[in-house]
Amino acid sequence: MLDVIAVSALIIYITRVVLGYKQTWDRYQLLVNRTLYEKTLASGFGSVHFLLDASEQQQVNCRWTVGNTCERFIHEKFKEKIEMPVDKAMDTLLRLGLVTEQPFDGYLKLQAVPCVKAYKALEQRWNSLIGLG
């Protein structure tokens, strides 16, 4: 009888340890996923999304205007003064096919592609990065 109680207690103890470890592991994974999600939002995709929205609202802009708009937006929302690397961001948007540049009155004007086309371009890019396409 004592053997059955000892084995049952041991099984219960091992189960508690395993479940406690699993719970700790799940919390750790959640923390990692949250951190990665926040980093992703803070990286290029957040900038691309903002620039795409800004470009849709003002169909034609120059790089300088977009840079000032981004800097103002970040200052208003986050109270941080930054210098937007517009040339890098524009090169990325052009490379991803989210924006086109057209000569107009001696300047290069930006034109955002339609949302559906931009979504498909981003989806294809994402799928190629994770190996789905």
Side-chain angles (χ1 to χ4, degrees):
M1 182 67 155
L2 287 174
D3 288 340
V4 172
I5 294 172
V7 170
S8 297
L10 182 62
I11 291 173
I12 291 171
Y13 177 73
I14 290 173
T15 303
R16 284 187 66 197
V17 169
V18 169
L19 291 176
Y21 175 76
K22 183 180 178 341
Q23 185 179 20
T24 302
W25 177 257
D26 290 343
R27 271 189 266 155
Y28 173 74
Q29 288 294 343
L30 179 63
L31 177 66
V32 168
N33 288 337
R34 242 188 231 150
T35 303
L36 288 173
Y37 176 74
E38 290 168 0
K39 296 293 182 194
T40 301
L41 287 179
S43 70
F45 286 114
S47 300
V48 168
H49 179 69
F50 170 74
L51 289 173
L52 184 61
D53 283 348
S55 294
E56 277 184 338
Q57 290 173 4
Q58 301 175 353
Q59 288 296 321
V60 178
N61 276 325
C62 64
R63 287 181 179 223
W64 181 81
T65 305
V66 171
N68 285 342
T69 303
C70 290
E71 290 169 8
R72 246 188 341 269
F73 173 81
I74 291 183
H75 182 66
E76 289 171 7
K77 295 294 180 186
F78 304 107
K79 306 298 184 232
E80 290 291 327
K81 192 153 180 85
I82 65 156
E83 188 171 323
M84 180 71 182
V86 176
D87 290 331
K88 267 188 180 177
M90 285 300 130
D91 291 344
T92 301
L93 290 172
L94 290 165
R95 182 174 42 83
L96 292 174
L98 302 177
V99 171
T100 59
E101 279 186 322
Q102 310 268 332
F104 182 78
D105 288 340
Y107 295 100
L108 285 176
K109 299 289 183 173
L110 300 172
Q111 177 74 39
V113 299
C115 276
V116 173
K117 188 175 177 182
Y119 173 79
K120 287 181 181 178
L122 288 174
E123 183 179 40
Q124 286 177 341
R125 176 74 173 170
W126 177 255
N127 287 340
S128 71
L129 289 174
I130 61 172
L132 293 177

